[in-house]
Amino acid sequence: MPRSAGLTRFAMELVVAGATGLIGAVVVAGAREFGTGWGVAGPEPGYFPFYIGILIVIGSLGTIVATLVRRQREQRIFLDAEQARRVAIFCGPMLAFVIVASTLGLYVATALYLFGVMRWQGGYKTGFATVVAVGTAVGFYFIFDVWFQVPLLKGPILNWLGIY
C-alpha cells in the first residue's frame, strides 16, 4: 500500500494523548491550590479533582507508551488533504462565528453565520437565506432578552442602534 501525504494515526494519537495529559496536569495543579488532603470535616476541596487529574495523566502516559510500542502498525493516514479541506469547510464558519460573536455580538454573529452557511454551503437563494438569518437573530433577541430577560452579548452595532 503506497504511503500518501497526510497526518498519520501515530502522530494524532501522540498529539491527543499529550493534550489530555496536559489537561490532567492542569487539573492536578488547580486541585493543589484547594488542598488535596483529608481535613477535619472530610476531604478537602481539591481531593477528588486531584486524583481524577492523576488518573487522566496516567491514562495519557499509557496511551503514549502503547502508541510508541505499536508505532510501525500505526502509520496509516488519519487525515489526508481532502479530509482536512472538508474539516476546514465545516469548522471555518464556526470559528468565524466565535470571533464575530466576541467582537460584534451574538445576534449579528448568528445572522451572519446562518446567512453564510445557508447561502454557500446549503445553496439557498440569497433572499431566503437573509430572511431566515435575520428572522432567527430577531427571534433569539425576543426569546432571550425580552421574554426570558437573559441578556446575551450584543456588541457595538446593537448598542449603536440603541438596542441595549
Side-chain angles (χ1 to χ4, degrees), residues 45-112:
Y47 181 83
F48 292 110
F50 176 78
Y51 288 105
I52 295 299
I54 293 288
L55 287 173
I56 292 171
V57 170
I58 291 170
S60 297
L61 290 173
T63 300
I64 289 172
V65 168
T67 301
L68 291 172
V69 165
R70 60 179 195 265
R71 178 179 187 153
Q72 294 305 318
R73 293 183 297 176
E74 297 302 337
Q75 293 303 318
R76 296 178 306 218
I77 298 299
F78 175 79
L79 185 69
D80 64 22
E82 175 59 26
Q83 292 168 329
R85 186 183 73 77
R86 286 186 284 178
V87 169
I89 288 171
F90 178 76
C91 293
M94 287 189 285
L95 178 61
F97 173 80
V98 170
I99 292 168
V100 172
S102 64
T103 56
L104 297 179
L106 196 62
Y107 301 116
V108 172
T110 298
L112 292 174

Side-chain angles (χ1 to χ4, degrees), residues 13-14 47 62 95 132 136 141:
E13 286 197 20
L14 288 179
Y47 181 83
L95 178 61
V132 170
T136 301
Y141 172 77

